[in-house]
Amino acid sequence: MTERAFTPGVLARANLRRRPFRSAGLAGLVALFTFVLFGGTILNENLSRGLDSLAGRLGADLLIVPYGYEKETQAALLRGEPSTFYLKADLLDKVRGAPGVVQASPQFFLASLNASCCTAQVQIIGYDPESDFLIRPWTRGNLAALEKGQVVVGSRIIPAVGEELTLFGVGFAVAAKMEATGMGFDTSVFMSLDDVYELMVKGGLAEGDLSQINAFISSIALKTSPDFAPRDVGNELMRRHALDYNLDLVLTKNLLSDISVSLKNFSSFIWVLAAFLWLLAMIVMSVVFSVALNERQREFSLLRILGATRGWLGRLILHEASYIGFGGAALGLAGAAVIIFPFSTLIFQSIGLPHLRLSGLTVLAYGLAAFILAGAAGPLASLYSVLSITRFDIYPTLREGE
Amino acid sequence: MNILELRGISKIYGQLSALSEIDLDVAQGEWLAIMGPSGSGKTTVMNIIGCLDKPSCGSVVLDGQELSALSADELTAIRRDKIGLIFQQFHLISYLTALENVMVAQYYHSLVDEKEALAALDRVGLADRAKHLPRQLSGGEQQRVCIARALINYPSIILADEPTGNLDEANERVVMDILHQLHREGSTIVVVTHAPEVAAHAERTVVLEYGKIARIVLGGDPSKAPEVGEACGAGA
Ligand SMILES: Nc1ncnc2c1ncn2[C@@H]1O[C@H](COP(=O)(O)OP(=O)(O)OP(=O)(O)O)[C@@H](O)[C@H]1O
Ligand SMILES: [Mg+2]
């Protein structure tokens, strides 16, 4: 190793190399903090973006479902857990005329068994392409008419547009594929209500004939007038029809509130953990730096004798601390990138929340913020050492070494 | 012309007066030895001359410059530019090679010049050890690196505190030869030593006792040479 210039940076690096375990240990601590902070905020941001987009694009303000099926609806919509439930279809017309209701569109939820397309069960959702406002916002291009025998599939259903999909032994043509929604829609297959009813008869899924089956739907999605509060519209509907139809209401906002709560818990957990780790890193580094300061008095005296000013020694310590801080921060970011990004979809699936990718710029901004916050812990922790080195005298310390 | 003038230098540690009222002039190009029993203040006086320490009172004029008014950073600059220090302990930076230890001194002084640093090591017979770390060098070799480092910036004055205290005879001879060489080239040399055979190389010897100059003798051996002065007021 022959260095041309002995700047504080060069000497700092030489010194860090001399104590590889100490350096790596401290950098590792900073890396852990960075990992938690960056990984946590990215996950957190991902979640809340997912929620916002969900709330924004879910189109419906209210969902009418059979009494007691609120949870199932939520599971089916958000996580794609297949389920089947019924509501009498003639409710639709009554709802359409109700005050404050702008749009109303019916759905029929049918849980498939293992379909040939997919390893998991898929949720089959029958809908009315004409009045629909739930599915359309997610379909690319225009899907004006969904013809008989055609289906729209979620983004994670394998067959591509133009290919065929077999459900309960009946073949369907894939007419369109939805954009990724991050929710249950991604693993759902959409077809017209008539096709669902027919499928149920053909597949032997229901007793009775078509005319009996098509008297049922599973839910009605409602869009309310801006002049009305969705809750008031819902209450009025409940007052009129709850007894006859045994129904329940889901406010889309409430649908998401469970997630909101877990999201809040998650983010406060992340913040507390990050704050704890930051403090821990600061304390450990401060202690290690001041211990090192004592054991290096001779080295520092010598550098002073050779002509280093106190300020120069201060810079040397700052450099060492910065290398540890920012090196550790970079390590933590790299770790987060390697662990969190490839597995993010998996992570989100396992916690059962919608997942939408963040833009590169956002990730970059969060990364930069975490990098600065974590990296700065190094120099901050060394401040005491820097201040005391700019105060100490050469002669007595050199003497102690004799 | 005097390169160094000490006037009324005292150093007091609490109740202890390590140096009291020292007056001493050192001429340009002179080789001076400082002797005296342990605790007599030899290192203290060297550290004051070397700008490592400040006297409690008195004035030091080095190369025409009064030191007592200078700040710590200004003293650092003087030390860097005018003084070559050699210690009894071989103070090398443990994680830098011999060559780098010499180059560090260049760096603080002005510019790093690897060729010149190598030449300095060559001069003390260590060109082939340039890439060795201090712990890979013998005591004598380490001391020679210190000397190479002390002379790298062409100091006006070389201060050596027991430069051969930890060396065997062969190494002592090598070190003294180098000092002779430097002296011939015009360097001013101040050597603190216990050993009469080391002091014998000097042109003049100052003997300290209890923080005072007991006597000054011409030539190296204070026991043989005639006394030329008494404590305080002596000097030239
Ligand atoms: N920092 C200090 N605090 C208190 N006393 C000190 C300090 N430095 C030196 N002394 C005292 O000053 C006196 C002179 O010390 P100095 O180191 O100059 O002696 P010396 O002549 O170099 O001795 P030696 O030959 O043993 O190296 C000693 O009595 C020593 O104990
Ligand atoms: Mg001494």
Side-chain angles (χ1 to χ4, degrees):
Chain A
M1 175 192 100
T2 299
E3 304 281 7
R4 268 37 352 240
F6 294 84
T7 57
V10 171
L11 278 195
R13 286 199 295 276
N15 191 53
L16 291 176
R17 271 197 297 274
R18 184 168 57 126
R19 294 189 174 84
F21 293 108
R22 194 199 75 156
S23 312
L26 292 183
L29 196 61
V30 177
L32 185 68
F33 161 74
T34 318
F35 179 85
V36 168
L37 182 69
F38 178 59
T41 43
I42 287 295
L43 282 181
N44 198 31
E45 186 65 8
N46 239 320
L47 290 171
S48 64
R49 293 274 173 103
L51 261 187
D52 287 350
S53 122
L54 198 60
R57 286 172 96 173
L58 199 54
D61 300 307
L62 279 173
L63 286 175
I64 298 178
V65 297
Y67 182 77
Y69 278 93
E70 195 185 335
K71 283 272 174 292
E72 278 79 356
T73 314
Q74 185 173 339
L77 280 180
L78 296 180
R79 294 194 284 279
E81 283 169 23
S83 72
T84 308
F85 42 89
Y86 304 111
L87 206 59
K88 276 191 265 175
D90 61 341
L91 177 63
L92 185 62
D93 287 332
K94 296 182 179 166
V95 166
R96 278 189 172 137
V101 174
V102 177
Q103 272 176 293
S105 185
Q107 293 83 38
F108 191 98
F109 287 73
L110 173 62
S112 83
L113 299 174
N114 291 340
S116 63
C117 66
C118 322
T119 46
Q121 283 192 324
V122 298
Q123 172 77 60
I124 297 168
I125 300 178
Y127 74 110
D128 173 25
E130 262 170 50
S131 64
D132 169 65
F133 56 92
L134 266 191
I135 287 95
R136 188 171 300 139
W138 304 93
T139 48
R140 297 189 196 102
N142 57 354
L143 188 74
L146 188 67
E147 284 166 25
K148 193 171 158 52
Q150 285 187 333
V151 291
V152 174
V153 296
S155 63
R156 293 176 54 213
I157 301 282
I158 292 159
V161 174
E163 292 181 352
E164 191 162 278
L165 178 73
T166 308
L167 298 163
F168 299 109
V170 180
F172 290 92
V174 175
K177 194 166 245 188
M178 285 170 83
E179 282 172 48
T181 63
M183 26 178 217
F185 282 3
D186 291 351
T187 53
S188 299
V189 174
F190 302 87
M191 59 182 73
S192 70
L193 282 171
D194 288 339
D195 276 357
V196 175
Y197 298 140
E198 228 181 280
L199 183 62
M200 287 178 78
V201 174
K202 279 188 190 164
L205 299 173
E207 288 168 19
D209 61 18
L210 201 62
S211 64
Q212 285 169 299
I213 298 168
N214 71 12
F216 290 97
I217 52 178
S218 299
S219 64
I220 302 170
L222 297 180
K223 199 171 256 181
T224 56
S225 153
D227 304 333
F228 291 79
R231 181 177 297 278
D232 296 338
V233 175
N235 286 341
E236 176 60 18
L237 285 172
M238 286 294 276
R239 197 186 58 73
R240 289 191 194 177
H241 306 297
L243 283 180
D244 299 342
Y245 289 89
N246 198 24
L247 47 88
D248 217 339
L249 276 171
V250 180
L251 276 166
T252 320
K253 265 193 197 148
N254 292 354
L255 182 72
L256 301 177
S257 72
D258 276 6
I259 306 176
S260 302
V261 168
S262 59
L263 183 66
K264 275 208 189 83
N265 290 340
F266 177 70
S267 49
S268 28
F269 171 72
I270 288 295
W271 285 115
V272 168
L273 185 64
F276 170 76
L277 284 174
W278 196 78
L279 261 167
L280 185 72
M282 284 288 286
I283 291 169
V284 170
M285 281 194 290
S286 301
V287 168
V288 170
F289 287 151
S290 30
V291 168
L293 186 66
N294 283 327
E295 83 193 16
R296 292 171 68 189
Q297 296 247 336
R298 259 189 66 153
E299 173 197 338
F300 290 141
S301 300
L302 186 54
L303 289 170
R304 290 272 282 123
I305 287 166
L306 293 179
T309 58
R310 293 164 193 226
W312 193 94
L313 286 187
R315 288 208 298 284
L316 174 66
I317 295 176
L318 268 182
H319 268 82
E320 289 182 17
S322 303
Y323 280 126
I324 288 175
F326 290 102
L331 214 69
L333 287 186
V338 166
I339 293 173
I340 290 179
F341 292 133
F343 298 109
S344 57
T345 314
L346 210 71
I347 293 170
F348 277 83
Q349 258 181 342
S350 70
I351 46 183
L353 291 174
H355 171 226
L356 288 173
R357 286 204 175 280
L358 296 175
S359 76
L361 208 67
T362 314
V363 173
L364 211 70
Y366 277 96
L368 198 69
F371 182 73
I372 290 170
L373 197 62
L380 274 179
S382 75
L383 270 190
Y384 172 76
S385 300
V386 171
L387 288 180
S388 44
I389 198 128
T390 51
R391 265 190 248 116
F392 96 122
D393 287 320
I394 314 166
Y395 174 54
T397 45
L398 195 66
R399 214 155 232 273
E400 278 162 25
E402 273 180 2
Chain B
M1 185 204 145
N2 288 332
I3 190 163
L4 179 70
E5 295 177 355
L6 304 185
R7 291 285 174 271
I9 293 294
S10 297
K11 182 73 187 183
I12 291 153
Y13 293 111
Q15 305 291 339
L16 179 105
S17 173
L19 287 178
S20 55
E21 299 280 329
I22 299 283
D23 293 313
L24 180 66
D25 288 352
V26 179
Q28 178 89 52
E30 186 181 1
W31 184 330
L32 180 81
I34 299 179
M35 293 190 76
S38 183
S40 57
K42 304 183 297 295
T43 299
T44 307
V45 92
M46 282 294 251
N47 284 329
I48 288 171
I49 300 170
C51 300
L52 299 179
D53 201 5
K54 284 187 159 200
S56 305
C57 55
S59 85
V60 182
V61 177
L62 181 70
D63 214 2
Q65 192 159 22
E66 164 66 52
L67 300 186
S68 54
L70 300 183
S71 71
D73 280 354
E74 286 167 326
L75 285 177
T76 298
I78 300 238
R79 196 164 56 235
R80 193 177 62 201
D81 297 340
K82 304 204 162 152
I83 299 169
L85 283 160
I86 303 165
F87 304 92
Q88 181 170 4
Q89 299 282 329
F90 327 117
H91 290 300
L92 293 174
I93 296 170
S94 60
Y95 54 93
L96 297 180
T97 63
L99 181 64
E100 288 165 345
N101 262 284
V102 176
M103 283 156 61
V104 166
Q106 284 181 317
Y107 166 73
Y108 290 121
H109 181 263
S110 49
L111 284 174
V112 173
D113 180 342
E114 191 175 334
K115 265 206 196 109
E116 202 176 78
L118 256 174
L121 279 178
D122 193 28
R123 206 166 163 185
V124 297
L126 287 178
D128 56 332
R129 299 280 198 285
K131 298 283 156 88
H132 289 221
L133 290 171
R135 69 179 126 80
Q136 298 165 323
L137 298 171
S138 76
E141 287 166 342
Q142 289 184 44
Q143 187 63 302
R144 276 141 70 192
V145 174
C146 288
I147 294 174
R149 187 179 62 191
L151 55 84
I152 189 69
N153 294 321
Y154 305 103
S156 346
I157 182 165
I158 291 171
L159 304 178
D161 191 350
E162 309 257 16
T164 59
N166 288 322
L167 301 183
D168 64 8
E169 264 175 59
N171 273 302
E172 181 179 308
R173 220 169 307 123
V174 173
V175 168
M176 293 319 291
D177 282 350
I178 296 166
L179 289 180
H180 268 292
Q181 222 179 46
L182 293 169
H183 184 236
R184 272 198 303 277
E185 289 165 12
S187 295
T188 308
I189 296 173
V190 179
V191 178
V192 164
T193 183
H194 278 116
E197 71 271 16
V198 172
H201 295 270
E203 296 164 328
R204 198 160 59 110
T205 301
V206 171
V207 180
L208 288 182
E209 270 164 25
Y210 305 108
K212 292 193 168 97
I213 294 180
R215 57 193 184 278
I216 297 180
V217 296
L218 286 179
D221 194 339
S223 59
K224 288 179 198 156
E227 298 188 3
V228 292
E230 274 300 319
C232 291

